[in-house]
Coordinates of all heavy atoms in Angstrom, one line a residue:
Y1 N -9.6 3.3 -1.6 CA -8.2 3.3 -2.1 C -7.2 3.4 -1.0 O -7.4 3.8 0.1 CB -8.0 4.6 -3.0 CG -9.0 4.6 -4.2 CD1 -10.2 5.3 -4.1 CD2 -8.7 3.9 -5.3 CE1 -11.1 5.3 -5.2 CE2 -9.6 3.9 -6.4 CZ -10.8 4.6 -6.3 OH -11.6 4.6 -7.4
S2 N -6.0 2.9 -1.4 CA -4.9 2.9 -0.5 C -3.6 3.1 -1.3 O -3.7 3.1 -2.5 CB -4.8 1.6 0.4 OG -3.8 1.8 1.4
V3 N -2.5 3.2 -0.6 CA -1.2 3.3 -1.3 C -0.4 2.1 -0.9 O -0.1 1.9 0.3 CB -0.5 4.6 -1.0 CG1 0.9 4.7 -1.6 CG2 -1.3 5.8 -1.4
Q4 N 0.0 1.3 -1.9 CA 0.9 0.1 -1.6 C 2.3 0.6 -1.5 O 2.7 1.3 -2.5 CB 0.7 -0.9 -2.6 CG 1.5 -2.2 -2.3 CD 1.2 -3.3 -3.2 OE1 0.1 -3.7 -3.4 NE2 2.3 -4.0 -3.7
I5 N 3.0 0.3 -0.5 CA 4.4 0.8 -0.4 C 5.4 -0.4 -0.4 O 6.6 -0.1 -0.4 CB 4.6 1.6 0.9 CG1 4.2 0.9 2.2 CG2 3.8 2.9 0.8 CD1 4.5 1.6 3.4
G6 N 4.9 -1.6 -0.4 CA 5.8 -2.7 -0.4 C 5.1 -4.0 -0.5 O 4.0 -4.2 -0.1
A7 N 5.8 -5.0 -1.1 CA 5.3 -6.4 -1.2 C 6.4 -7.3 -1.1 O 7.4 -7.2 -1.8 CB 4.5 -6.6 -2.5
F8 N 6.3 -8.3 -0.2 CA 7.5 -9.1 0.1 C 7.1 -10.6 0.2 O 6.0 -10.9 0.8 CB 8.1 -8.7 1.4 CG 8.5 -7.2 1.4 CD1 7.6 -6.3 1.9 CD2 9.7 -6.8 0.9 CE1 7.9 -5.0 1.9 CE2 10.0 -5.5 0.9 CZ 9.1 -4.5 1.4
L9 N 7.9 -11.5 -0.3 CA 7.7 -12.9 -0.1 C 8.2 -13.4 1.2 O 7.6 -14.3 1.9 CB 8.3 -13.7 -1.2 CG 7.6 -13.8 -2.6 CD1 8.4 -14.4 -3.6 CD2 6.2 -14.5 -2.4
Q10 N 9.3 -12.8 1.7 CA 9.9 -13.2 2.9 C 9.3 -12.3 4.0 O 8.6 -11.3 3.8 CB 11.4 -13.0 2.9 CG 12.0 -11.6 2.8 CD 11.9 -10.9 1.4 OE1 11.3 -11.4 0.5 NE2 12.5 -9.7 1.4
N11 N 9.6 -12.6 5.3 CA 9.2 -11.8 6.4 C 9.9 -10.5 6.4 O 11.1 -10.4 6.0 CB 9.5 -12.5 7.7 CG 8.6 -13.7 7.9 OD1 7.5 -13.7 7.4 ND2 9.1 -14.7 8.6
V12 N 9.2 -9.4 6.8 CA 9.8 -8.1 6.8 C 10.4 -7.9 8.2 O 9.8 -8.3 9.2 CB 8.7 -7.1 6.5 CG1 9.3 -5.7 6.6 CG2 8.2 -7.3 5.1
K13 N 11.6 -7.3 8.3 CA 12.2 -7.0 9.6 C 11.3 -6.1 10.4 O 10.7 -5.2 9.9 CB 13.6 -6.3 9.4 CG 14.6 -7.2 8.7 CD 15.9 -6.4 8.6 CE 16.9 -7.3 7.8 NZ 18.2 -6.5 7.6
T14 N 11.2 -6.4 11.7 CA 10.5 -5.6 12.6 C 11.0 -4.2 12.6 O 12.2 -3.9 12.6 CB 10.6 -6.1 14.0 OG1 10.1 -7.5 14.1 CG2 9.7 -5.3 15.0
G15 N 10.1 -3.2 12.5 CA 10.5 -1.8 12.5 C 10.7 -1.2 11.1 O 11.0 0.0 11.0
T16 N 10.6 -2.0 10.0 CA 10.8 -1.5 8.7 C 9.9 -0.3 8.4 O 10.4 0.6 7.7 CB 10.6 -2.6 7.6 OG1 11.5 -3.7 7.9 CG2 10.8 -2.1 6.2
Y17 N 8.7 -0.3 8.7 CA 7.7 0.7 8.4 C 7.2 1.4 9.6 O 6.1 1.9 9.6 CB 6.6 0.1 7.6 CG 7.0 -0.4 6.2 CD1 6.8 -1.7 5.9 CD2 7.5 0.5 5.3 CE1 7.2 -2.2 4.6 CE2 7.9 0.0 4.1 CZ 7.7 -1.3 3.7 OH 8.1 -1.8 2.5
N18 N 7.9 1.5 10.7 CA 7.4 2.1 11.9 C 7.0 3.6 11.8 O 6.2 4.1 12.5 CB 8.5 2.0 13.1 CG 8.4 0.6 13.8 OD1 7.4 -0.1 13.5 ND2 9.3 0.4 14.6
D19 N 7.7 4.3 10.9 CA 7.4 5.7 10.7 C 6.2 6.0 9.9 O 5.8 7.2 9.8 CB 8.7 6.4 10.1 CG 9.9 6.4 11.1 OD1 9.7 6.2 12.3 OD2 11.0 6.5 10.5
S20 N 5.6 5.1 9.3 CA 4.5 5.3 8.4 C 3.2 5.3 9.2 O 2.9 4.3 9.9 CB 4.4 4.2 7.3 OG 5.5 4.2 6.6
S21 N 2.4 6.3 9.1 CA 1.1 6.3 9.8 C 0.0 5.6 8.9 O 0.1 5.6 7.7 CB 0.7 7.7 10.1 OG 0.5 8.5 9.0
G22 N -1.0 5.1 9.6 CA -2.0 4.4 8.8 C -1.6 3.2 8.1 O -2.2 2.8 7.1
L23 N -0.5 2.6 8.6 CA 0.0 1.4 8.0 C -0.8 0.1 8.3 O -1.1 0.0 9.5 CB 1.5 1.2 8.4 CG 2.2 0.0 7.8 CD1 2.5 0.3 6.4 CD2 3.5 -0.3 8.6
F24 N -1.0 -0.7 7.3 CA -1.6 -2.0 7.5 C -1.0 -3.0 6.5 O -0.5 -2.5 5.5 CB -3.1 -2.0 7.5 CG -3.7 -1.5 6.3 CD1 -4.3 -2.4 5.4 CD2 -3.8 -0.2 6.0 CE1 -4.9 -2.0 4.2 CE2 -4.5 0.3 4.8 CZ -5.0 -0.7 3.9
N25 N -1.2 -4.2 6.7 CA -0.7 -5.2 5.7 C -1.6 -6.4 5.7 O -2.5 -6.6 6.5 CB 0.7 -5.7 6.0 CG 0.8 -6.5 7.3 OD1 0.5 -5.9 8.4 ND2 1.2 -7.7 7.2
H26 N -1.5 -7.2 4.6 CA -2.2 -8.5 4.5 C -1.4 -9.4 3.7 O -0.7 -9.0 2.7 CB -3.5 -8.2 3.7 CG -4.3 -9.4 3.5 ND1 -5.0 -10.0 4.6 CD2 -4.6 -10.2 2.5 CE1 -5.6 -11.2 4.1 NE2 -5.3 -11.2 2.9
R27 N -1.4 -10.7 4.1 CA -0.7 -11.7 3.3 C -1.7 -12.4 2.4 O -2.8 -12.8 2.8 CB -0.1 -12.8 4.3 CG 0.7 -13.9 3.5 CD 1.5 -14.8 4.4 NE 2.5 -14.1 5.1 CZ 3.7 -13.8 4.7 NH1 4.0 -14.1 3.4 NH2 4.6 -13.2 5.5
Y28 N -1.4 -12.4 1.1 CA -2.3 -12.9 0.1 C -1.9 -14.4 -0.3 O -0.9 -14.9 0.0 CB -2.2 -12.0 -1.1 CG -2.9 -10.7 -0.9 CD1 -2.2 -9.6 -0.3 CD2 -4.2 -10.5 -1.3 CE1 -2.8 -8.4 -0.1 CE2 -4.8 -9.3 -1.0 CZ -4.1 -8.2 -0.4 OH -4.7 -7.0 -0.2
D29 N -2.9 -15.0 -1.0 CA -2.7 -16.4 -1.4 C -1.5 -16.6 -2.3 O -1.0 -17.7 -2.4 CB -4.0 -16.9 -2.2 CG -5.2 -17.0 -1.2 OD1 -4.9 -17.1 0.0 OD2 -6.3 -17.1 -1.7
D30 N -1.0 -15.6 -3.0 CA 0.2 -15.7 -3.8 C 1.5 -15.7 -3.0 O 2.6 -15.8 -3.6 CB 0.2 -14.6 -4.9 CG 0.4 -13.2 -4.3 OD1 0.4 -13.0 -3.1 OD2 0.4 -12.3 -5.2
G31 N 1.3 -15.6 -1.7 CA 2.5 -15.6 -0.8 C 3.1 -14.3 -0.4 O 3.9 -14.2 0.4
Y32 N 2.6 -13.2 -1.1 CA 3.1 -11.9 -0.8 C 2.4 -11.3 0.4 O 1.2 -11.4 0.6 CB 2.9 -11.0 -2.0 CG 4.0 -11.2 -3.1 CD1 3.8 -12.1 -4.1 CD2 5.2 -10.4 -3.0 CE1 4.7 -12.3 -5.1 CE2 6.1 -10.6 -4.0 CZ 5.9 -11.5 -5.0 OH 6.9 -11.7 -6.0
N33 N 3.3 -10.6 1.2 CA 2.8 -9.8 2.3 C 2.9 -8.4 1.8 O 4.0 -7.8 1.6 CB 3.7 -10.0 3.5 CG 3.1 -9.4 4.8 OD1 1.9 -9.1 4.8 ND2 3.9 -9.4 5.8
R34 N 1.7 -7.8 1.6 CA 1.7 -6.4 1.0 C 1.4 -5.4 2.1 O 0.5 -5.6 2.9 CB 0.6 -6.3 -0.1 CG 1.0 -7.2 -1.3 CD 0.0 -7.1 -2.4 NE 0.5 -7.6 -3.7 CZ 0.4 -8.9 -4.0 NH1 -0.1 -9.8 -3.2 NH2 0.9 -9.4 -5.1
F35 N 2.1 -4.3 2.0 CA 2.0 -3.2 3.0 C 1.4 -2.0 2.3 O 1.7 -1.6 1.2 CB 3.4 -2.8 3.6 CG 3.9 -3.9 4.5 CD1 4.5 -5.0 4.1 CD2 3.8 -3.7 5.9 CE1 4.9 -6.0 5.0 CE2 4.2 -4.6 6.8 CZ 4.8 -5.8 6.3
Y36 N 0.4 -1.4 3.1 CA -0.4 -0.3 2.6 C -0.3 0.9 3.6 O -0.1 0.6 4.8 CB -1.8 -0.7 2.4 CG -2.1 -1.9 1.5 CD1 -2.3 -3.1 2.0 CD2 -2.0 -1.7 0.1 CE1 -2.5 -4.2 1.2 CE2 -2.3 -2.8 -0.7 CZ -2.5 -4.1 -0.2 OH -2.7 -5.1 -1.0
S37 N -0.4 2.1 3.1 CA -0.5 3.2 3.9 C -1.7 4.0 3.6 O -1.9 4.5 2.5 CB 0.8 4.1 3.6 OG 0.7 5.3 4.4
G38 N -2.6 4.2 4.6 CA -3.8 5.0 4.5 C -5.0 4.3 3.8 O -4.8 3.4 3.0
V39 N -6.1 4.9 4.1 CA -7.4 4.5 3.4 C -8.1 5.7 3.0 O -8.3 6.6 3.9 CB -8.3 3.6 4.3 CG1 -9.6 3.3 3.7 CG2 -7.5 2.3 4.8
F40 N -8.5 5.8 1.7 CA -9.0 7.1 1.2 C -10.3 6.8 0.4 O -10.4 5.8 -0.3 CB -8.0 7.8 0.3 CG -6.7 7.9 1.0 CD1 -5.7 7.0 0.9 CD2 -6.5 9.1 1.8 CE1 -4.5 7.2 1.5 CE2 -5.3 9.2 2.4 CZ -4.3 8.3 2.3
E41 N -11.3 7.7 0.5 CA -12.5 7.5 -0.2 C -12.4 7.9 -1.6 O -13.3 7.5 -2.4 CB -13.6 8.4 0.5 CG -14.0 7.8 1.9 CD -15.1 8.6 2.5 OE1 -15.9 9.3 1.8 OE2 -15.2 8.5 3.8
S42 N -11.4 8.7 -2.0 CA -11.3 9.1 -3.4 C -9.9 8.8 -3.9 O -8.9 8.8 -3.2 CB -11.5 10.6 -3.5 OG -10.5 11.4 -3.0
Y43 N -9.8 8.6 -5.2 CA -8.6 8.3 -5.9 C -7.6 9.5 -5.7 O -6.4 9.4 -5.5 CB -8.8 8.0 -7.4 CG -7.6 7.8 -8.2 CD1 -6.9 6.6 -8.1 CD2 -7.1 8.8 -9.0 CE1 -5.7 6.4 -8.8 CE2 -6.0 8.6 -9.8 CZ -5.3 7.4 -9.7 OH -4.1 7.3 -10.4
E44 N -8.2 10.7 -5.8 CA -7.4 11.9 -5.8 C -6.7 12.0 -4.4 O -5.5 12.4 -4.4 CB -8.3 13.2 -6.0 CG -8.8 13.3 -7.4 CD -10.0 12.4 -7.8 OE1 -10.6 11.9 -6.8 OE2 -10.1 12.0 -8.9
K45 N -7.4 11.8 -3.3 CA -6.8 11.8 -2.0 C -5.7 10.8 -1.9 O -4.6 11.1 -1.3 CB -7.8 11.7 -0.9 CG -8.7 12.9 -0.8 CD -9.7 12.7 0.3 CE -10.6 13.9 0.4 NZ -11.6 13.8 1.5
A46 N -5.9 9.6 -2.4 CA -4.9 8.6 -2.3 C -3.7 9.0 -3.2 O -2.6 8.7 -2.8 CB -5.5 7.2 -2.9
Q47 N -3.9 9.6 -4.3 CA -2.8 10.0 -5.2 C -2.0 11.1 -4.5 O -0.8 11.0 -4.6 CB -3.4 10.5 -6.5 CG -2.4 10.6 -7.6 CD -3.1 10.9 -8.9 OE1 -4.1 11.6 -9.0 NE2 -2.5 10.4 -10.0
N48 N -2.6 12.0 -3.8 CA -1.9 13.0 -3.0 C -1.0 12.3 -1.9 O 0.1 12.7 -1.7 CB -2.8 14.0 -2.4 CG -3.4 15.0 -3.4 OD1 -2.8 15.2 -4.5 ND2 -4.6 15.5 -3.1
H49 N -1.6 11.4 -1.3 CA -0.8 10.6 -0.2 C 0.3 9.9 -0.9 O 1.5 9.9 -0.3 CB -1.7 9.7 0.5 CG -1.1 8.9 1.6 ND1 -0.6 9.6 2.7 CD2 -0.7 7.6 1.8 CE1 0.0 8.7 3.6 NE2 -0.1 7.5 3.0
M50 N 0.1 9.3 -2.0 CA 1.2 8.6 -2.7 C 2.3 9.5 -3.0 O 3.5 9.2 -2.9 CB 0.7 7.9 -4.0 CG 1.8 7.3 -4.9 SD 1.3 7.0 -6.6 CE 1.2 8.7 -7.2
K51 N 2.0 10.7 -3.5 CA 3.1 11.7 -3.8 C 3.9 12.0 -2.6 O 5.2 12.1 -2.7 CB 2.5 12.9 -4.4 CG 1.9 12.8 -5.8 CD 1.2 14.0 -6.3 CE 0.5 13.8 -7.6 NZ -0.3 14.9 -8.0
Q52 N 3.3 12.1 -1.5 CA 4.0 12.4 -0.2 C 4.9 11.2 0.2 O 6.0 11.3 0.6 CB 3.0 12.8 0.9 CG 3.8 13.1 2.2 CD 4.7 14.3 2.0 OE1 4.3 15.4 1.5 NE2 5.9 14.2 2.5
M53 N 4.3 10.0 0.0 CA 5.1 8.8 0.4 C 6.3 8.7 -0.5 O 7.4 8.3 0.0 CB 4.2 7.5 0.2 CG 3.0 7.5 1.2 SD 3.5 7.5 2.9 CE 4.3 6.0 3.1
K54 N 6.2 9.0 -1.8 CA 7.4 9.0 -2.7 C 8.4 10.0 -2.2 O 9.6 9.7 -2.2 CB 6.9 9.2 -4.1 CG 6.2 8.0 -4.7 CD 6.0 8.2 -6.2 CE 5.4 7.0 -6.8 NZ 5.7 6.7 -8.1
K55 N 7.9 11.2 -1.8 CA 8.9 12.2 -1.3 C 9.6 11.7 0.0 O 10.7 12.0 0.3 CB 8.2 13.5 -1.0 CG 7.8 14.3 -2.2 CD 7.1 15.6 -1.7 CE 6.6 16.3 -3.0 NZ 5.8 17.5 -2.6
D56 N 8.9 10.8 0.8 CA 9.4 10.3 2.0 C 10.3 9.1 1.8 O 10.7 8.4 2.7 CB 8.2 9.9 3.0 CG 7.5 11.1 3.5 OD1 8.0 12.3 3.4 OD2 6.4 11.0 4.0
G57 N 10.5 8.7 0.5 CA 11.5 7.6 0.2 C 10.9 6.3 -0.2 O 11.6 5.4 -0.5
Y58 N 9.5 6.3 -0.4 CA 8.9 5.1 -0.9 C 8.7 5.2 -2.4 O 7.6 5.4 -2.9 CB 7.6 4.8 -0.2 CG 7.8 4.6 1.3 CD1 7.6 5.7 2.2 CD2 8.2 3.4 1.8 CE1 7.8 5.5 3.6 CE2 8.3 3.2 3.2 CZ 8.2 4.3 4.1 OH 8.3 4.1 5.4
G59 N 9.8 5.1 -3.1 CA 9.8 5.3 -4.6 C 8.9 4.4 -5.4 O 8.4 4.8 -6.5
D60 N 8.6 3.2 -4.9 CA 7.7 2.3 -5.6 C 6.3 2.4 -5.2 O 5.5 1.5 -5.6 CB 8.2 0.9 -5.4 CG 9.6 0.6 -6.0 OD1 10.0 1.3 -7.0 OD2 10.4 -0.2 -5.5
A61 N 5.9 3.3 -4.4 CA 4.5 3.5 -3.9 C 3.6 3.7 -5.1 O 3.9 4.4 -6.1 CB 4.4 4.6 -3.0
F62 N 2.4 3.1 -5.0 CA 1.4 3.4 -6.0 C 0.0 3.2 -5.4 O -0.2 2.6 -4.4 CB 1.5 2.4 -7.3 CG 1.4 0.9 -6.9 CD1 0.2 0.3 -7.1 CD2 2.5 0.2 -6.5 CE1 0.0 -1.1 -6.8 CE2 2.4 -1.2 -6.2 CZ 1.1 -1.8 -6.4
V63 N -1.0 3.8 -6.1 CA -2.4 3.8 -5.6 C -3.0 2.5 -6.1 O -2.8 2.0 -7.2 CB -3.2 5.0 -6.2 CG1 -4.7 4.9 -5.8 CG2 -2.6 6.3 -5.7
I64 N -3.7 1.8 -5.1 CA -4.4 0.6 -5.4 C -5.9 0.7 -4.8 O -6.1 1.3 -3.8 CB -3.7 -0.6 -4.9 CG1 -4.2 -2.0 -5.4 CG2 -3.6 -0.6 -3.4 CD1 -3.8 -2.3 -6.8
G65 N -6.8 0.1 -5.5 CA -8.1 0.1 -5.0 C -8.3 -1.2 -4.1 O -7.7 -2.2 -4.4
L66 N -9.0 -1.1 -3.0 CA -9.2 -2.2 -2.1 C -10.7 -2.3 -1.8 O -11.3 -1.3 -1.5 CB -8.4 -2.0 -0.8 CG -6.9 -2.1 -0.8 CD1 -6.4 -1.8 0.6 CD2 -6.5 -3.4 -1.3
E67 N -11.2 -3.5 -1.9 CA -12.5 -3.8 -1.4 C -12.3 -4.9 -0.4 O -12.2 -6.1 -0.8 CB -13.5 -4.2 -2.5 CG -13.9 -3.1 -3.4 CD -14.8 -3.6 -4.6 OE1 -15.1 -4.8 -4.6 OE2 -15.1 -2.7 -5.4
G68 N -12.3 -4.6 0.9 CA -11.8 -5.6 1.9 C -10.4 -5.9 1.6 O -9.6 -5.0 1.6
E69 N -10.1 -7.1 1.4 CA -8.7 -7.5 1.1 C -8.5 -7.7 -0.4 O -7.4 -8.0 -0.9 CB -8.4 -8.8 1.8 CG -8.4 -8.6 3.3 CD -8.3 -9.9 4.1 OE1 -8.3 -11.0 3.4 OE2 -8.3 -9.9 5.3
K70 N -9.6 -7.6 -1.2 CA -9.5 -7.7 -2.7 C -8.9 -6.4 -3.3 O -9.4 -5.3 -3.0 CB -10.9 -8.0 -3.3 CG -10.8 -8.2 -4.7 CD -12.2 -8.5 -5.3 CE -12.2 -8.6 -6.8 NZ -13.5 -8.6 -7.4
R71 N -7.9 -6.6 -4.1 CA -7.2 -5.5 -4.8 C -7.7 -5.3 -6.2 O -8.1 -6.3 -6.8 CB -5.7 -5.8 -4.9 CG -5.1 -6.1 -3.5 CD -3.7 -6.8 -3.7 NE -2.8 -5.7 -4.2 CZ -2.0 -5.9 -5.3 NH1 -2.1 -7.0 -6.0 NH2 -1.2 -4.9 -5.7
F72 N -7.8 -4.1 -6.7 CA -8.1 -3.8 -8.0 C -7.4 -2.5 -8.5 O -7.1 -1.7 -7.7 CB -9.7 -3.6 -8.2 CG -10.3 -2.5 -7.5 CD1 -10.4 -1.2 -8.1 CD2 -10.7 -2.6 -6.2 CE1 -11.0 -0.2 -7.4 CE2 -11.3 -1.6 -5.5 CZ -11.4 -0.4 -6.1
L73 N -7.1 -2.4 -9.8 CA -6.5 -1.2 -10.3 C -7.5 -0.1 -10.5 O -8.6 -0.4 -11.0 CB -5.8 -1.6 -11.6 CG -4.6 -2.5 -11.5 CD1 -4.0 -2.9 -12.9 CD2 -3.5 -1.9 -10.6
P74 N -7.1 1.1 -10.1 CA -8.1 2.2 -10.3 C -8.2 2.5 -11.8 O -7.3 2.3 -12.6 CB -7.4 3.4 -9.6 CG -6.3 2.8 -8.8 CD -6.0 1.5 -9.4
E75 N -9.4 2.9 -12.2 CA -9.7 3.3 -13.6 C -9.3 4.7 -13.9 O -9.4 5.5 -13.1 CB -11.1 3.0 -13.9 CG -11.4 1.5 -13.8 CD -12.9 1.2 -14.1 OE1 -13.6 2.1 -14.7 OE2 -13.3 0.1 -13.8

């Protein structure tokens, strides 16, 4: 699991997410460049991280399942 904190069709300004630890991103076939924060073995740990990210100003953050670059909604 991870926490998605943003998805953009255009290029993101350098430094937009510098303060986020565990940050990574991937550009998908739909043209979106999605940014994630952290990798977690359990949904609960990802959910706790998401709550902190929201407190830190990432109001649209949500938990997403990842298998490699493939995304899935947690059950």
Side-chain angles (χ1 to χ4, degrees):
Y1 299 96
S2 188
V3 176
Q4 182 172 315
I5 59 174
F8 306 93
L9 281 172
Q10 71 279 9
N11 290 332
V12 177
K13 292 180 183 177
T14 303
T16 299
Y17 293 120
N18 278 349
D19 294 338
S20 300
S21 62
L23 181 73
F24 62 100
N25 69 297
H26 180 72
R27 183 170 299 278
Y28 289 85
D29 290 341
D30 63 1
Y32 280 91
N33 192 14
R34 290 181 169 86
F35 286 80
Y36 304 100
S37 177
V39 175
F40 306 93
E41 291 183 20
S42 73
Y43 176 77
E44 292 76 21
K45 289 181 181 180
Q47 198 170 31
N48 288 337
H49 183 67
M50 176 197 67
K51 290 175 185 175
Q52 184 60 51
M53 295 302 292
K54 286 187 176 212
K55 286 181 185 176
D56 291 345
Y58 298 97
D60 293 333
F62 63 93
V63 175
I64 191 77
L66 292 177
E67 289 180 2
E69 296 170 355
K70 182 181 176 190
R71 305 166 68 235
F72 64 92
L73 294 175
E75 295 180 14

